[in-house]
């Protein structure tokens, strides 16, 4: 384009993200006819159709796919530019707090987080996603915050399915948030209750939580193999809440974070036992994208999560709260 026009960049961004003229028009605050005219101008500027018809839908051309990331980055930079000098006041600001985590961490943190937001940021809208799919895109494209198992960040074969984009993307940042120990969960009056040796543990049928649903293996399999043992995983679920009935109604065993197991042991008729082999504690990490590192809303949201962990008395491994946060 011969003349830089931020409105062209906005139109390009929304048209490419939506791949739909009417939806892009709504996001731009213009009529569909005006969005269609903007698309025509962009096609001339880039000498490419950008969006082409496929059946009843529009699809991006290869050139358009290459333009998506730069357009997104330009809009993020423009937002940061115009936010400079505008102090963020959580007590009065209307904004979106986007969080993705597992169902068990959501259950643990949400009551405290909800109370903090009511007291300190009453106009914030909290959106929580517990389906752990494509976390990297969530952090990059939507500016969200993630709380994930640290083993997902550090190695394959963790207690939950690995999240490779978090390990490979140099623009994603993370820090320890809290950790806790793991316990074996069995139904009451289980044949091996009270005498769960390592050999018996390995011989039982196991339930595994894999949020991505992509693997029947976890860190326990690696630890057992080092001792010449193996286990039989007969149930793989994507949510921690699905483990409890599968254990309560069978002779299966599961290894779960202690907070979750203790919260539901009585209602499901479960017993907690030590894991009969040394196993790393579950280390939960706070993760975000570099583009949002200095965003005042993002800084405040991350600090609020740290504060919620401390309020709950969890084993917090996180640093002190950021001094730039407001609204306390």
């Amino acid at each position: 384009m011969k003349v830089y026009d931020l409105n062209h960049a906005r139109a390009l961004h929304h048209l490419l993200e939506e791949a739909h003229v009417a939806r892009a028009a709504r996001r731009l605050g213009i009529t569909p006819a005006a969005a269609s005219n903007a698309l025509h101008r962009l096609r001339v500027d880039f000498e490419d159709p950008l969006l082409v018809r496929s059946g009843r839908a529009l699809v991006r051309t290869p050139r358009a796919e290459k333009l998506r990331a730069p357009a997104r980055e330009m809009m993020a930079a423009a937002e940061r530019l115009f936010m400079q000098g505008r102090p963020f006041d959580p007590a009065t600001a209307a904004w979106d707090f986007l969080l993705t985590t597992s169902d068990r961490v959501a259950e643990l943190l949400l009551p405290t987080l909800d109370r903090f937001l009511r007291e300190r940021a009453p106009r914030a809208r909290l959106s929580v996603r517990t389906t752990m799919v494509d976390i990297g895109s969530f952090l990059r494209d939507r500016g969200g915050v993630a709380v994930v198992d640290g083993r997902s960040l550090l190695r394959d074969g963790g207690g939950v399915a690995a999240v490779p984009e978090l390990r490979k993307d140099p623009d994603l940042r993370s820090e320890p948030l809290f950790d806790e120990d793991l316990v074996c969960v069995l139904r009451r009056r289980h044949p091996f209750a009270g005498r769960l040796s390592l050999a018996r543990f390995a011989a039982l049928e196991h339930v595994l939580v894999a949020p991505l649903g992509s693997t029947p293996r976890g860190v326990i399999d690696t630890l057992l193999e080092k001792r010449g043992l193996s286990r039989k995983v007969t149930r793989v679920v994507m949510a921690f809440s699905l483990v409890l009935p599968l254990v309560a109604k069978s002779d299966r065993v599961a290894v779960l974070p202690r907070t979750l197991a203790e919260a539901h042991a009585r209602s499901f008729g479960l017993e907690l036992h030590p894991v009969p082999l040394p196993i790393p504690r579950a280390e939960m990490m706070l993760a975000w994208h570099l583009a949002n590192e200095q965003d005042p809303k993002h800084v405040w949201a991350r600090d609020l999560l740290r504060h919620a962990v401390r309020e709950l008395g969890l084993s917090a491994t996180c640093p002190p709260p950021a001094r730039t946060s407001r609204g306390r």
Side-chain angles (χ1 to χ4, degrees):
M1 289 182 285
K2 295 180 180 179
V3 179
Y4 174 78
D5 186 338
L6 185 58
N7 286 326
H8 278 196
R10 289 185 67 243
L12 178 67
H13 169 65
H14 290 302
L15 283 163
L16 295 187
E17 288 300 308
E18 295 293 342
H20 191 284
V21 173
R23 288 200 300 266
R26 285 195 294 271
R27 296 185 66 177
L28 288 163
I30 59 178
T31 66
S36 182
N37 289 335
L39 177 58
H40 174 73
R41 290 193 299 271
L42 290 165
R43 285 168 167 165
V44 173
D45 290 335
F46 287 99
E47 300 179 348
D48 187 271
L50 300 176
L51 299 174
V52 296
R53 183 70 57 183
S54 177
R56 300 181 63 181
L58 292 175
V59 297
R60 303 175 194 89
T61 65
R63 180 78 184 280
E65 289 291 355
K66 291 180 180 179
L67 289 170
R68 283 182 76 190
R72 186 188 304 125
E73 291 165 6
M74 178 177 290
M75 294 310 301
E79 183 179 358
R80 291 194 298 272
L81 174 65
F82 288 109
M83 285 301 295
Q84 293 297 320
R86 296 183 185 178
F88 170 64
D89 183 0
T92 59
W95 56 289
D96 287 330
F97 186 157
L98 306 177
L99 172 66
T100 185
T101 189
S102 67
D103 60 315
R104 75 100 179 173
V105 173
E107 178 185 324
L108 184 64
L109 297 183
L110 271 183
T112 301
L113 191 60
D114 178 64
R115 175 168 57 84
F116 283 176
L117 286 171
R118 290 198 312 270
E119 295 170 351
R120 305 172 190 184
R123 299 186 65 195
R125 179 172 62 184
L126 175 63
S127 298
V128 181
R129 186 183 69 169
T130 58
T131 303
M132 304 285 278
V133 177
D134 200 11
I135 296 174
S137 294
F138 176 85
L139 299 179
R140 180 178 60 250
D141 300 343
R142 300 194 61 195
V145 184
V147 178
V148 294
D149 191 317
R151 290 168 298 185
S152 300
L153 297 166
L154 299 175
R155 62 175 74 88
D156 290 320
V160 299
V163 185
E165 61 266 38
L166 292 183
R167 299 193 311 275
K168 295 178 180 177
D169 193 330
D171 292 331
L172 296 181
R173 298 290 184 265
S174 64
E175 67 179 40
L177 186 61
F178 69 92
D179 57 30
E180 59 180 322
D181 64 334
L182 302 169
V183 295
C184 284
V185 178
L186 303 168
R187 67 171 177 85
R188 288 188 191 137
R189 294 182 292 278
H190 189 285
F192 291 163
R195 48 195 182 94
L196 189 62
S197 67
L198 180 57
R200 285 170 174 161
F201 171 78
L204 289 171
E205 293 186 17
H206 287 245
V207 183
L208 174 69
V209 184
L212 296 183
S214 60
T215 176
R217 289 179 54 83
V219 67
I220 290 173
D221 297 282
T222 303
L223 296 173
L224 287 173
E225 286 172 0
K226 291 178 179 179
R227 291 161 175 77
L229 296 169
S230 63
R231 64 173 177 166
K232 182 166 60 174
V233 175
T234 60
R235 300 290 184 271
V236 180
V237 297
M238 296 181 67
F240 283 88
S241 59
L242 300 177
V243 175
L244 303 169
L246 291 175
V247 174
K249 301 297 183 180
S250 73
D251 285 340
R252 300 185 190 100
V253 63
V255 176
L256 297 175
R258 181 178 293 277
T259 53
L260 176 74
E262 290 180 341
H264 297 284
R266 181 184 296 274
S267 59
F268 279 90
L270 302 174
E271 292 186 0
L272 280 56
H273 298 274
V275 181
L277 76 166
I279 184 171
R281 290 168 65 85
E283 183 181 42
M284 304 309 299
M285 306 290 288
L286 181 62
W288 65 94
H289 194 272
L290 177 62
N292 300 306
E293 190 144 34
Q294 301 303 322
D295 183 325
K297 296 188 299 293
H298 217 277
V299 171
W300 191 86
R302 298 196 305 265
D303 194 29
L304 198 70
L305 283 164
R306 299 183 189 108
H307 193 190
V309 165
R310 290 192 295 272
E311 177 89 358
L312 288 166
L314 297 172
S315 177
T317 52
C318 52
R323 291 182 180 275
T324 56
S325 296
R326 300 180 59 190
R328 290 292 179 85

